Amino acid sequence: MNSKRINREIRTIEKMIRIYERAHPAPVNSPNDYNKLYAYAINRLEKCRYGEQKPACKQCPVHCYQPKMREQMKVIMRWSGPKMLFHHPILAIRHLLDDRKPVPELPKKSRKAIRETNTRL
Ligand code: SF4
């Protein structure tokens, strides 16, 4: 089960993607692009190494998104962010507050997992 923080981030991302999608419909030959990006973001959030303490993804030193997905999400957030204040003000303000929180230290278990992954590469 997800923590409150992760669930809130999932809701926020969903709203941002839908706002963007309304103004930029998916191409006819690739109608599931936004759903795929949303599913990908949920998967990343559910596996976030920081858990409840997660920083804003844009401040995160781990950068767990694939570069292409990260770029898509950046474009969507940049465009939808200001509109969120109008459509979903509470989620928008909480998101802005999260952006200002300092990045916590990576949990020890995750640091060990990253080291092991790096030695295998
Ligand atoms: S980018 Fe960082 S904060 Fe965002 S989900 Fe991935 S590990 Fe968590």
Side-chain angles (χ1 to χ4, degrees), residues 7-112:
N7 281 333
R8 179 160 47 82
E9 290 246 352
I10 289 172
R11 275 203 324 275
T12 305
I13 282 180
E14 198 240 339
K15 305 290 184 206
M16 285 182 155
I17 291 174
R18 298 304 163 219
I19 289 172
Y20 188 86
E21 186 179 14
R22 272 197 296 265
H24 306 86
V28 179
N29 62 348
S30 192
N32 288 321
D33 275 6
Y34 293 116
N35 289 339
K36 282 185 198 162
L37 180 62
Y38 178 51
Y40 180 82
I42 291 175
N43 182 276
R44 295 291 81 205
L45 285 167
E46 288 179 341
K47 291 181 178 163
C48 179
R49 293 167 183 164
Y50 291 95
E52 181 70 7
Q53 304 305 317
K54 83 174 278 306
C57 290
K58 75 177 181 194
Q59 321 276 11
C60 177
V62 176
H63 295 315
C64 72
Y65 277 56
Q66 291 169 3
K68 185 180 157 211
M69 298 297 206
R70 189 164 172 231
E71 199 45 48
Q72 282 179 349
M73 194 58 86
K74 262 169 67 177
V75 169
I76 289 172
M77 292 187 119
R78 208 175 296 137
W79 196 87
S80 299
K83 291 155 188 72
M84 280 290 285
L85 274 169
F86 178 72
H87 293 285
H88 305 282
I90 295 174
L91 282 177
I93 289 168
R94 298 205 67 178
H95 187 71
L96 289 172
L97 291 174
D98 288 339
D99 259 7
R100 292 173 176 269
K101 287 184 186 160
V103 177
E105 203 173 312
L106 198 60
K108 275 189 180 138
K109 204 170 115 190
S110 295
R111 282 201 302 252
K112 188 176 170 217

